[in-house]
Every structure is written in structure tokens, then in C-alpha cells.
Amino acid sequence: MIISELTPHITHDAARESCRCPIGAVTTGSAVTLAFTDGLASVLDAELVLYGDGFESRHEMALSDGRWYVSVTMPEEPAALWYVFRISLSGGEYWLCAGEGGRFGQLMSARGEGFRLTVYAGGFETPAWFRRCIMYQIFPDRFARDWSDTAREGIEKHRAMGRHVKYHEDWNEPVDWQPNSADGFYFPLDFYGGTLKGVESRLNYLKSLGVGVIYFNPVFEACSNHRYDTADYLNIDPILGTNADFEDLCTAAERMGIRIMLDGVFSHTGADSIYFNKFSHYPDAGAYNAGAASPYYGWYDFRHYPNDYRCWWNFPDLPEVDEGNADWRDFVITGRDSVVRTWIRRGAAGWRLDVADELPDEALCLIRQAAKAEDPDAVVLGEVWEDAVIKHSYGSRRKYALGESLDSVMNYPFRSAVIDFLCFRTDARALAAFLLGQRLNYPAPMYFSLMNLLSSHDVERVRTALATRLDARSMSREQQAGFIVGDAQDARGAAMQRLAAAIQYAIPGVPCVYYGDETGMGGMLDPFDRAPFTTGARPLTDWYTALGKIRSAHDALSTGAAAFFAPDADVICILRCISGGADAFGEAAADGAFLAVINRTDWEKDLVLDLWLDNAGLTAAELAGLRAQNHTRAECLLTGETAEISEGLLRLKLPPESVRIFELK
């Protein structure tokens, strides 16, 4: 039960340094001061309760000038923690707990949800180059063909092995989706012939978008077009090219300031692979066709050899591996010539790890160690769909976001929050609260490296999501195939996508563009979100180019401090700033302050924004630095229009469905 009459007077705000210092995630062994105010002097005594999984500690609080406080040393082990305040009033014992959204306190008669407090490893660092990048995701079969016969020759190699693959002569043909197997399921065997040389031929285009890192969906040999059923970890799929083509691409990209990230599918292999060899397409002794005589037999869990084996999500084409098997670990991770290390030597800048939730924390730690042993600047990024700090999987809390195994994760919660806002399912206050929550709860090295995506190969494209406002997962594949996005819907989707991209490029983290999003491609779920690269009716290439130039030109927009405001239910504002010549990591950077303002409605907005709020995400020192810059004017980098600033107050007149990115001067 909430005690409503006292809640306004007994307050705690997890984003205000007078209540929590420092705000945000903290390192192991550091001291944190936690406090609440007692406006009516009604509290008799108070106690902080700090807790986590299998852990709880209690700490008496002291009173000073109407503020109850205590300083607590954090544990030496990284952990996701929570805290509440036990309060004694004349009427008995009460609890100050986290209210809706998890940030503001509510006084309750029984102990409720706690405020989050993330404790991460003190030595945790992520590569500086990555957090300053713009990422571009490529589904390699569908981005660009080259001038050679590489793809056709690769198709013939697959056919010669006994695989029934299809080649689309026409790049503009629709993707296959109908059932095409004996068991009545769709299997992705159609190819369009995109190649690594094709990607190399488009590097100038990618550079014009400001791209600094390309993330490839799997490029290793496999029988499907998505290649998540790896057949040979050490060789490029012949449809895409050769290992030499990959090294040539990395060299050419590096000359243009672009790095290459690979997709590592390590929780399972393909059944049709060198390692399992279920269909005897390879001459090697695979676990299925050779049993214990195969060097790979110990990789897999055969309950009853040969047909009863553990599979990824019960798909027999994807036999799971035993990540604790010493031979598997040596081959994939720990060996001097392991898969992880070999491809970094060949030019890769890091790995995106498929289904990271399904790899044990120990294996993830070893992957990160192996990658960084080969290149200290290598990035290890995990596929995680939820909040990575508090993620539970397979019966335990995961620690991969606490500095022990992953540099970064895919930020699917960000995608959902932005699309919900622009589809009018939530408002700007909810979006600002979400963005501030990530700033408070993620370790700073990971927070500034989050892969901030709006589309991917596993979700409907952002244009379609914003145009239709439908839940694609509630539709059958037949319904998705037959759905036509109307012209008016696409126009609305394009308008909203402009706003979504502006948010994506303004917040901390690495904005990731899924190939073709910038040209207006649409598509429902797999396989419709994996169509060949083309240009839609309303491309936004110039818009993405402009956003890329603005972000790349100003340090504050990549590694500057961040604050989030919702001065109106329909307007989200993102402030980024650097002062004192050093960014959020203490590295030399240019001073500056920039404000992105997004109005989602189709009418004009007239409002005033207070840039000096002390609970929007800036620390006291960052806010002091912003105030010291004494801004008196804001100039939009997109339109040139200006607005006056007085004592931190900025008056804005915003056109309908508009974006303004102001430089504060």
C-alpha cells in the first residue's frame, strides 16, 4: 500500500546527486552515498537495505539538515544490486521503494521493489574507437553483387556437394518464403549472389554515410542463405568469395577508416557441416556419420546415437555444442589458431556473438580474452534482447554486462522504446525515462558502446514498423507475404523514420543502420526483412548522410555526457555536452554542447526547456561545466535557425514532425 499523504515529503530520486552520489553504475569497492529527504521531519530513524542475488546488508542512516544519508562501500564482486529504505514513523515501520519507472521513491507500508544499483568490474574498458563509430549491418547475400562469376561458381560448388540451392538471376525477384522441404517447412535455400567483392565496391558509398564499422551476418560456409548453420568456421562461403577476398576487403576498408565485425555462431553448428556431417556432404569424419571415431564427437550431446541429440531450440539442423568440451574450446576459442583468433589475424576487428544468452559466462569470458589477446582493440558484442544487466537465462543471473565478458550488446530495448514512442503507444516522458534508465543502469564503458539499432535481420524493418504500426509477430508468414504497405502509410513511416534516426544518432552508443534502411526499404519478419538491397519510394539517404556528418564532426555527440528531457508529452530532447577538454572517459575532446529536439506530432509545438535540470542525467560536475559555458544562443545545424537561451532556458517553436539539432553557443 502506498502512503500517498507522506510520499511528497519523503523523497528519493536516483538521478539526483543529492540522493545518490555518484549517480549511475559504479565500480567494485567504490563508495556510494544514498539519501532521502524528510520534508516534514517526521522520520524517527532510517536504515538502508542493500540487496542482490543471495546477498543483503543493512546500514543505519544519519540525519543532517532534513536529509537522511549513509555512505556504503560496494562489494568486491560485480553484481546487479537493489536498495530500499526502511523508515520508522510515529505510525510504525514503512518502506521507501522504487515507484513506477524505478527512479522516484514511493512510501509504502510493505517492502516493495528496490532502486537499481549496478556494480561492475573496476578495470572494465571498451575500445575507444568503437564508441565513436557509426555501424552498418550487412546481410551478405543481399547487399551487392560483383562483376565476376564468383557467386555462380559458389552456387555450383554447393550443388556439387548435394545441396539443393536456388540462384535468383533477377536481383529484384521477391524472396522465397513458401514451404520447400519434405516436412512442409520453409528452408532458406535461395541466394541472390551478394559477394565480399560486391561490398568492397560499395565502400565509398558506406564512407559517405559516415560508417566506421561494418557488421556482417555470418560469412562462413553454410548451406543456408543466413549461414547461422555454420558448416566450416575457417572458410568463407564460396558464394561470397574466398578467404583472400575477405582479407582484401579488410585491407581496403581499413584504408578508408572502416573496420569489419564478424558474426560468431558458437552455441551450435549446422547438421550439414564438417563437424557433424549428417548428410555425408564432406569427406571428413563428422560426429554424426563417424560417431566416436570423429574428432568432433565430443563437441555434441548424443542422448542416443545417432539421431537423438541436443539441438538449438529443437531444430535438428542445428545441433548444439558442449561449450565445456576441451577440444571444442581449443578449436573455437583458446587455441593459438582458434576460430576467434584466426579471423582477427585475417583482419576482423571483433565479433558479434549470436545468442550470447546461450553461451556460458565462462565461455564468453574466454572469447573476450582470446579476441583481445590477438588485438586489444577488438570488440566483443553479444546478441541480447533484454536489459543485459539484469538478464536471467538458464536459471541464473548473467554477469556478461558487468565487465567480465562482453564489451557491448545489441540494444533491442532501445528499438522498442523509440518505435513505441513514434507509434503513439507511449509518450516522450516514458521515452526520456527509458533513456535515462539505461544511462543510470549500464556500466559507462558498455553504455557508450551499445549497439543502438532500429532494424535487424531478426525484426521487421523500422520503415514497416512505423508505417503500419502492426505487431508483425502476430501475423502468419502468408499474411506478411501478402501485406502491402500503402503509399500514405509509407509516407508516414518515412516521416517517423527521420525522427527515429535522429534519436538514434543523438544518444550515447553506436548507431547501427541495417542495410537499406537509409534507402527506404521495408519488410516484415524473416525472410521479408532480408530482401536484396534496393531503393524504396522515399529514400532517406541524404538524411542519414547528414546525421552521420554531424555526429562525426563533434566529439560531444559520441562521447559527451548525456541528459534527457520531455518538456511535452510529444517532444523528446537529448542534450550532449563536453567541458574542460575531456569527454566522459577523461580523454581529450573538443568542448561543445548540442541539443537534439524531436516533435512527433503533425502540429507546431511552442515550449520552454530548462537545460540546467539537475536530475536529467548530468552529474553535478557536468552540469557545472555546462553552466560555465554560458550559452546564450542555439543554432540548428540542419536548418540554420536560431533560438535564444537565458539562464539555461531555451524557448522553442517546433514545426510538425520535425527534428532540430542545435549547437549551443
Side-chain angles (χ1 to χ4, degrees):
M1 176 181 175
I2 298 172
I3 313 301
S4 58
E5 65 271 17
L6 290 176
T7 292
H9 306 286
I10 300 177
T11 61
H12 175 78
D13 179 355
R16 181 170 276 136
E17 280 198 343
S18 61
C19 294
R20 174 166 151 179
C21 185
I23 61 172
V26 297
T27 56
T28 53
S30 62
V32 179
T33 299
L34 298 166
F36 66 88
T37 58
D38 177 14
L40 295 178
S42 56
V43 176
L44 302 177
D45 66 70
E47 180 181 59
L48 170 76
V49 181
L50 182 69
Y51 64 96
D53 298 323
F55 161 82
E56 181 171 297
S57 62
R58 293 179 174 243
H59 309 268
E60 289 188 13
M61 303 182 73
L63 174 64
S64 176
D65 296 327
R67 175 175 172 267
W68 290 85
Y69 70 94
V70 63
S71 183
V72 182
T73 299
M74 294 296 102
E76 294 297 331
E77 289 293 321
L81 300 180
W82 288 261
Y83 62 92
V84 294
F85 302 98
R86 186 195 60 78
I87 295 174
S88 292
L89 302 173
S90 59
E93 180 180 271
Y94 296 89
W95 297 86
L96 185 61
C97 306
E100 184 177 356
R103 172 182 158 192
F104 295 105
Q106 287 188 334
L107 197 63
M108 308 180 73
S109 58
R111 179 169 166 176
E113 293 293 324
F115 304 91
R116 289 177 58 182
L117 178 55
T118 303
V119 181
Y120 66 97
F124 182 33
E125 295 180 353
T126 54
W129 70 266
F130 186 66
R131 53 185 178 249
R132 295 178 179 274
C133 268
I134 295 167
M135 177 184 279
Y136 194 86
Q137 179 185 349
I138 292 177
F139 194 82
D141 182 59
R142 309 290 164 85
F143 184 62
R145 289 173 172 170
D146 67 33
W147 57 91
S148 72
D149 291 325
T150 296
R152 287 187 176 84
E153 291 173 355
I155 288 286
E156 292 309 315
K157 288 180 182 178
H158 280 284
R159 287 173 176 165
M161 294 175 66
R163 293 173 176 151
H164 302 288
V165 296
K166 171 183 173 180
Y167 183 70
H168 291 274
E169 294 289 344
D170 184 351
W171 185 258
N172 296 309
E173 285 180 3
V175 296
D176 285 0
W177 61 269
Q178 298 89 345
N180 58 0
S181 63
D183 54 11
F185 291 100
Y186 157 75
F187 198 79
L189 294 172
D190 60 320
F191 292 83
Y192 285 83
T195 66
L196 297 182
K197 288 294 185 186
V199 175
E200 187 175 342
S201 72
R202 303 301 306 278
L203 287 176
N204 283 324
Y205 167 72
L206 297 177
K207 187 64 177 177
S208 74
L209 293 174
V211 171
V213 58
I214 297 168
Y215 153 47
F216 277 119
N217 290 107
V219 295
F220 307 133
E221 183 175 318
C223 66
S224 70
N225 59 43
H226 58 64
R227 301 186 175 95
Y228 282 96
D229 50 343
T230 312
D232 184 348
Y233 284 114
L234 295 177
N235 285 295
I236 296 293
D237 192 291
I239 299 174
L240 294 175
T242 65
N243 293 354
D245 289 341
F246 176 80
E247 295 186 36
D248 289 345
L249 171 61
C250 290
T251 300
E254 184 179 14
R255 285 197 295 264
M256 304 186 73
I258 299 173
R259 308 194 198 203
I260 306 296
M261 177 177 288
L262 292 176
D263 208 327
V265 187
F266 300 141
S267 78
H268 54 271
T269 69
D272 188 0
S273 66
I274 289 175
Y275 319 107
F276 202 73
N277 208 8
K278 184 173 184 177
F279 309 106
S280 298
H281 288 160
Y282 291 91
D284 303 63
Y288 183 92
N289 65 347
S294 169
Y296 310 113
Y297 183 76
W299 289 21
Y300 303 97
D301 178 13
F302 287 97
R303 292 179 285 252
H304 294 94
Y305 178 82
N307 289 315
D308 184 7
Y309 50 88
R310 190 163 54 94
C311 312
W312 185 78
W313 285 43
N314 295 319
F315 289 110
D317 292 314
L318 302 174
E320 283 203 40
V321 301
D322 173 10
E323 294 91 352
N325 178 268
D327 291 335
W328 177 85
R329 284 192 175 182
D330 180 72
F331 183 89
V332 173
I333 307 173
T334 58
R336 178 67 183 88
D337 295 319
S338 69
V339 175
V340 170
R341 299 189 66 164
T342 291
W343 287 100
I344 291 178
R345 280 203 298 275
R346 290 175 177 174
W351 291 92
R352 177 264 192 189
L353 301 179
D354 185 55
V355 294
D357 291 337
E358 300 182 32
L359 292 167
D361 282 338
E362 183 183 3
L364 292 173
C365 289
L366 290 173
I367 290 171
R368 188 167 186 262
Q369 291 169 13
K372 293 183 185 294
E374 199 64 44
D375 178 1
D377 266 346
V379 173
V380 178
L381 184 154
E383 180 194 10
V384 179
W385 286 68
E386 302 84 9
D387 186 317
V389 174
I390 58 173
K391 170 72 179 183
H392 259 284
S393 66
Y394 296 91
S396 64
R397 180 94 56 195
R398 303 305 298 268
K399 292 190 175 183
Y400 45 46
L402 302 179
E404 297 182 333
S405 53
L406 297 178
D407 291 317
S408 176
V409 293
M410 301 177 76
N411 198 356
Y412 278 106
F414 164 75
R415 174 188 187 269
S416 298
V418 170
I419 290 175
D420 283 347
F421 169 63
L422 294 176
C423 288
F424 290 79
R425 292 190 282 265
T426 60
D427 63 14
R429 296 181 182 99
L431 179 57
F434 166 81
L435 294 172
L436 180 56
Q438 289 205 320
R439 181 262 183 266
L440 295 176
N441 296 325
Y442 274 82
M446 176 172 281
Y447 175 61
F448 281 85
S449 300
L450 287 174
M451 179 181 166
N452 294 328
L453 68 151
L454 293 170
S455 301
S456 82
H457 60 292
D458 283 328
V459 291
E460 69 271 34
R461 285 185 178 268
V462 65
R463 174 67 63 90
T464 297
L466 294 172
T468 65
R469 302 183 184 180
L470 295 172
D471 178 8
R473 295 191 182 277
S474 69
M475 303 169 66
S476 68
R477 188 168 273 151
E478 290 78 7
Q479 289 173 321
Q480 294 178 54
F483 190 89
I484 298 174
V485 177
D487 188 66
Q489 287 179 308
D490 186 67
R492 180 177 65 198
M496 292 296 102
Q497 188 183 342
R498 290 178 78 255
L499 311 188
I503 298 170
Q504 182 187 27
Y505 277 65
I507 67 169
V510 179
C512 180
V513 180
Y514 186 46
Y515 78 101
D517 272 3
E518 79 280 12
T519 59
M521 287 180 64
M524 291 287 187
L525 300 175
D526 166 27
F528 310 108
D529 54 1
R530 306 174 182 184
F533 180 87
T534 188
T535 299
R538 292 175 179 84
L540 296 175
T541 310
D542 290 345
W543 180 245
Y544 279 84
T545 300
L547 292 176
K549 287 180 178 178
I550 290 172
R551 182 180 171 95
S552 299
H554 303 287
D555 292 340
L557 288 171
S558 55
T559 55
F564 309 98
F565 311 88
D568 181 281
D570 299 308
V571 177
I572 185 73
C573 303
I574 301 155
L575 175 69
R576 306 294 306 278
C577 57
I578 287 176
S579 60
D583 67 9
F585 296 89
E587 298 174 356
D591 286 357
F594 301 84
L595 180 72
V597 184
I598 293 92
N599 171 21
R600 71 177 178 178
T601 67
D602 57 2
W603 61 86
E604 185 178 80
K605 291 281 185 175
D606 192 349
L607 49 87
V608 175
L609 175 65
D610 183 357
L611 298 170
W612 291 355
L613 286 176
D614 68 348
N615 63 346
L618 299 185
T619 66
E622 291 163 348
L623 185 55
L626 177 70
R627 293 172 69 121
Q629 291 178 0
N630 194 29
H631 302 114
T632 60
R633 185 167 59 92
E635 181 177 333
C636 181
L637 299 176
L638 297 166
T639 66
E641 64 190 83
T642 60
E644 299 302 311
I645 304 174
S646 176
E647 293 297 307
L649 298 178
L650 173 62
R651 177 113 187 218
L652 297 171
K653 194 177 289 288
L654 303 171
E657 296 181 347
S658 64
V659 172
R660 296 292 181 266
I661 301 178
F662 293 103
E663 182 175 7
L664 309 187
K665 299 185 175 183

